[in-house]
Amino acid sequence: MLSRVAESVYWMNRYMERAENYSRFLDVNFQLSLDLNEDSNRQWMPLVYTTGDNELFFRKYNSPSKENIIHFMSLDTENPNSIMNCLIRARENARTIRENISTPMWEVINEFYLTIKSKRRFDESDMPGIAEFFKAIRNQCLLFYGCQEATISHDEVWHFALLGRLLERADKTTRILDMKYFILLPSGENTGSTLDLIQWLSLLKSASAHEMFNRFYTRITPKSIAEFLILDKIFPRAIRFCLSKTFDSLKTLSGTEKDSYGEETEKKVGVLLSEMNYASIDEIFTSGMHEYLDQLQVRLNGIASQLDETYFRN
């Protein structure tokens, strides 16, 4: 398989996953602002810190208002990680590998692009329209994943698509968790308050995890949410699940036996996954939740860099 094709399908999926995650973050926060009837900087600015684009934001905007942040993360073409730019890059990657993906996949991503391209600015008086915009993005991304699942062979192209989606998803789960634990950590008097509980609920909804969480846990607590989103083995947005499926795809691509590894990316993922298999949430909290998530982000970036070096630079 050509490294050019592998890289394009990998990044096509990373960008689609990033666009979907941003729409989740923004929509949940938007709905929360309506429920709480407030647009405080404390509520909105953490989203920009979560994506790591805070320096660019403050160079462009004077105020971290709801309107500015929604525009910056959704439609701002000068923000390389905005939903608009993610879609532009995903489409460009898809265009360069048309012969390796199905016609339904191309049609979904192209129609998605043409729909979003016409959007320039949100009408602040059209609250239902903003909510529908974010819902449409999520639905289009899910439609794209469904087309990919059903219309291309589950060969090397498929596995590189999975690698892009899973690594992006794991990274965003660490970031949204870290936002709550570190940036939004309440003062002592607010811990356990109604606002604190609503924020925890919004975190679960940001990962579309609320209903699945309720199947296994009876109480919403910081530890139970962290355990579910970090260590759960069967929820598709949990970090451990993403790493497990990443490891499976890497093993398929390298063709190595179960107890060996063929290249360094496999080793990095295998070591991290082994550590998570024996980790407990109590140990993670004792050692420091923010520090643990920060190290996870560093190691996920290391895995992505190693993957790039191994498969895309040859």
Side-chain angles (χ1 to χ4, degrees), residues 269-288:
V269 176
V271 169
L272 179 53
L273 185 59
S274 295
E275 292 175 10
M276 295 189 78
N277 285 340
Y278 291 97
S280 74
I281 198 62
D282 288 329
E283 292 170 345
I284 291 172
F285 266 69
T286 299
S287 64

Side-chain angles (χ1 to χ4, degrees), residues 194-213:
T194 300
L195 176 60
D196 193 34
L197 177 61
I198 290 173
Q199 287 176 340
W200 283 117
L201 283 171
S202 71
L203 187 150
L204 284 171
K205 291 177 181 177
S206 294
S208 292
H210 188 199
E211 292 79 11
M212 295 304 102
F213 174 87

Side-chain angles (χ1 to χ4, degrees), residues 15-33:
Y15 285 129
M16 289 297 284
E17 180 69 24
R18 191 171 300 174
E20 187 197 355
N21 276 285
Y22 280 21
S23 72
R24 291 174 187 278
F25 297 167
L26 287 164
D27 189 35
V28 169
N29 221 49
F30 177 71
Q31 299 296 340
L32 185 61
S33 72

Side-chain angles (χ1 to χ4, degrees), residues 130-146:
I130 296 175
E132 283 300 314
F133 174 80
F134 293 132
K135 181 180 179 181
I137 290 171
R138 292 197 306 277
N139 287 344
Q140 286 294 315
C141 289
L142 292 173
L143 180 59
F144 173 78
Y145 299 150

Side-chain angles (χ1 to χ4, degrees), residues 51-110:
T51 65
D53 298 314
N54 44 298
E55 291 185 8
L56 174 61
F57 178 85
F58 282 118
R59 285 202 300 269
K60 288 204 61 186
Y61 298 90
N62 295 323
S63 168
S65 66
K66 174 176 71 175
E67 291 75 18
N68 285 342
I69 289 173
I70 288 178
H71 179 76
F72 177 70
M73 294 183 67
S74 298
L75 303 174
D76 194 331
T77 54
E78 294 181 32
N79 174 10
N81 291 313
S82 68
I83 291 172
M84 176 71 80
N85 270 332
C86 285
L87 188 53
I88 290 171
R89 293 178 181 185
R91 179 179 179 271
E92 180 60 22
N93 277 290
R95 187 190 63 78
T96 64
I97 54 169
R98 280 287 286 109
E99 68 280 6
N100 289 279
I101 63 175
S102 68
T103 297
M105 280 177 65
W106 169 251
E107 289 175 346
V108 168
I109 200 169
N110 194 47

Side-chain angles (χ1 to χ4, degrees), residues 102-138:
S102 68
T103 297
M105 280 177 65
W106 169 251
E107 289 175 346
V108 168
I109 200 169
N110 194 47
E111 290 171 6
F112 188 14
Y113 163 76
L114 293 174
T115 300
I116 304 301
K117 180 184 176 184
S118 62
K119 195 80 174 174
R120 288 290 177 264
R121 189 89 191 186
F122 291 105
D123 182 354
E124 296 167 18
S125 64
D126 183 17
M127 294 298 182
I130 296 175
E132 283 300 314
F133 174 80
F134 293 132
K135 181 180 179 181
I137 290 171
R138 292 197 306 277

Side-chain angles (χ1 to χ4, degrees), residues 132-260:
E132 283 300 314
F133 174 80
F134 293 132
K135 181 180 179 181
I137 290 171
R138 292 197 306 277
N139 287 344
Q140 286 294 315
C141 289
L142 292 173
L143 180 59
F144 173 78
Y145 299 150
C147 282
Q148 189 167 245
E149 167 86 25
T151 63
I152 68 169
S153 299
H154 288 203
D155 55 8
E156 290 179 324
V157 170
W158 165 255
H159 286 290
F160 278 109
L162 278 183
L163 290 174
R165 189 193 312 172
L166 292 166
L167 287 174
E168 182 69 27
R169 186 174 292 175
D171 176 76
K172 291 301 177 285
T173 299
T174 65
R175 291 176 183 275
I176 195 67
L177 263 173
D178 201 29
M179 179 186 74
K180 173 57 184 170
Y181 275 93
F182 186 63
I183 301 173
L184 289 178
L185 190 67
S187 58
E189 65 272 14
N190 291 328
T191 302
S193 66
T194 300
L195 176 60
D196 193 34
L197 177 61
I198 290 173
Q199 287 176 340
W200 283 117
L201 283 171
S202 71
L203 187 150
L204 284 171
K205 291 177 181 177
S206 294
S208 292
H210 188 199
E211 292 79 11
M212 295 304 102
F213 174 87
N214 286 339
R215 288 178 59 188
F216 299 100
Y217 296 88
T218 57
R219 293 180 61 241
I220 294 176
T221 66
K223 278 191 178 181
S224 61
I225 290 174
E227 182 177 48
F228 186 64
L229 292 179
I230 296 173
L231 298 177
D232 194 81
K233 294 188 291 185
I234 57 176
F235 180 63
R237 292 186 176 274
I239 299 166
R240 185 179 177 186
F241 177 94
C242 291
L243 286 171
S244 177
K245 296 303 180 182
T246 295
F247 188 69
D248 290 346
S249 285
L250 288 170
K251 296 295 286 183
T252 300
L253 289 168
S254 68
T256 54
E257 298 296 325
K258 180 180 179 181
D259 296 325
S260 62

